[in-house]
Amino acid sequence: MELTLSFNLLEAEFFYVSPKKPVSTVPLVYLTFAFDEGQVAYNLNNQAKLTRKMERIVKTILKKWQQENAVYQQALDQDLILMPDEHLDYQTALVKNLLILLKDNELPAIRLELVGSWPVFQTKDGQLDLTN
């Protein structure tokens, strides 16, 4: 069974994504998995979700992923200005790191998407000012 989860690096959380993927204003990673029937449970509304064991595995991966990418997570969280090459290098490392964690835990990821607001180029004029 295919199931898509969104990983939020800033909040260290994951959410189930419906077939209609929403647009996000925060940087998210959508991961689509091919799970066996024994790894999937259903809620009262008959919507698919992971079993508790699988949720614990995903949460462990997410926590390790956040720890190993703490420098970039902090830069994103504080809206720091980085050189364009730095953003792309961090994003490449972020994706590679996540794929390694998934492979090490034998999670069958079949698709990974970067969605939402991932900066690649930003100057001081483009910095978010939330004080106004």
Side-chain angles (χ1 to χ4, degrees), residues 26-93:
V26 297
L28 296 175
V29 174
Y30 283 171
L31 287 159
T32 303
F33 296 95
F35 290 110
D36 294 331
E37 286 296 321
Q39 297 171 313
V40 177
Y42 294 89
N43 64 15
L44 295 174
N45 295 327
N46 205 29
Q47 295 173 323
K49 66 178 208 141
L50 296 176
T51 61
R52 288 181 190 226
K53 178 183 176 186
M54 293 306 298
E55 279 191 356
R56 283 193 295 273
I57 292 170
V58 169
K59 287 178 182 179
T60 301
I61 289 170
L62 188 54
K63 187 173 182 108
K64 286 180 186 176
W65 184 56
Q66 185 187 35
Q67 290 170 349
E68 292 176 7
N69 295 283
V71 173
Y72 192 49
Q73 183 258 348
Q74 208 166 23
L76 289 172
D77 193 36
Q78 296 176 2
D79 200 30
L80 295 180
I81 297 174
L82 301 174
M83 298 301 294
D85 289 347
E86 287 179 292
H87 276 295
L88 295 175
D89 290 343
Y90 277 125
Q91 290 168 12
T92 301

Side-chain angles (χ1 to χ4, degrees), residues 88-99:
L88 295 175
D89 290 343
Y90 277 125
Q91 290 168 12
T92 301
L94 193 88
V95 168
K96 285 181 180 179
N97 181 259
L98 183 54
L99 291 174

